[in-house]
Amino acid sequence: MAKRSSLITKPFYFSPIFLLTFLMIDCSSYWAHRKNDLADVFTAGVESPGYGLGVRIGPLAGGFIFQGGESAPGKRDLGTGYGLRGGSYGPYRSQQLVFGFLGGEKFHSLPNTPEPTNPSQKVETKPQGQDPNSSQGFLLLPDAPEGEEDPNPTPELANERQNTKSFEIRYLKFYNNPVEERRKAKKALFYKKFLESLDPEKKNEAIQAYLAQNPKSKDDYPLGFLFEVEIYISIKYGIRLGFNIGEFLDFLFGFTGLDLMEDDL
């Protein structure tokens, strides 16, 4: 009888262990999100090359800034920084042009692997010698228009959260974005997500080549971009400082389980 009683009560000894393990896993994810949210609030980086002085409040920029540049004609690959920006600490790409209130800006974290130095290196969308009736060639993808190819596109990083924080935007286009253009952008985003769902393991060469040549919309930006205040000052080497009120509220409300910026990935 005693033996039977011990068998009945045995699962109850293990249930606290399973509960504690579950809570530890959940808590580690919870505090990781709070740490990331706090890092999103501040911007502090050293950047080069750049010249000028300016301030940006959301998509409204003012001043005179030339930051970044080209190492070869058409190759916009200059402009780097190091510090805390976009919720990550480390090296990043930073390019910005402000003339009065016109201009644009590009930002993304730099990948761990070195970027290609040869601008002529391009991924082919149609592998040579591939049988169109084969299992790998079942999907015919349109080529990117030759005149619209970005010689230095925003890379797809291994860290999905860093991808969501990347942006490339033209300030004036933000205010003058016709309905037809918004519809095109939504269709392109839907098509991109559809292709990604067809090849979740990233093994189809045609799909991955197409996605690599069409990484992001040129006017895409994270939600937190709208609530950011930044100041930039530089004479070749400059500093960028910023505070994001939206991300600060996201950090505070995150303790209650709310994700205002939708970035708890």
Side-chain angles (χ1 to χ4, degrees), residues 28-147:
S28 63
S29 177
Y30 174 84
W31 288 110
H33 290 324
R34 303 292 71 75
K35 178 182 177 182
N36 290 334
D37 287 343
L38 181 60
D40 291 336
V41 176
F42 304 100
T43 296
V46 179
E47 302 174 359
S48 70
Y51 300 89
L53 171 66
V55 63
R56 178 173 64 81
I57 303 175
L60 179 61
F64 294 91
I65 299 174
F66 179 80
Q67 198 242 333
E70 303 175 345
S71 63
K75 186 183 180 185
R76 296 178 291 110
D77 59 340
L78 297 182
T80 57
Y82 194 93
L84 177 63
R85 191 176 179 188
S88 299
Y89 185 82
Y92 57 83
R93 169 77 64 225
S94 180
Q95 298 172 333
Q96 188 175 18
L97 176 65
V98 180
F99 188 80
F101 63 93
L102 302 176
E105 188 175 351
K106 178 177 181 178
F107 160 78
H108 64 79
S109 296
L110 287 176
N112 295 327
T113 56
E115 297 182 3
T117 56
N118 186 0
S120 63
Q121 290 178 347
K122 296 182 180 179
V123 183
E124 297 182 358
T125 56
K126 294 181 180 179
Q128 297 294 327
Q130 187 180 45
D131 184 3
N133 297 322
S134 66
S135 59
Q136 292 185 345
F138 74 96
L139 186 62
L140 296 179
L141 302 175
D143 292 328
E146 195 67 29

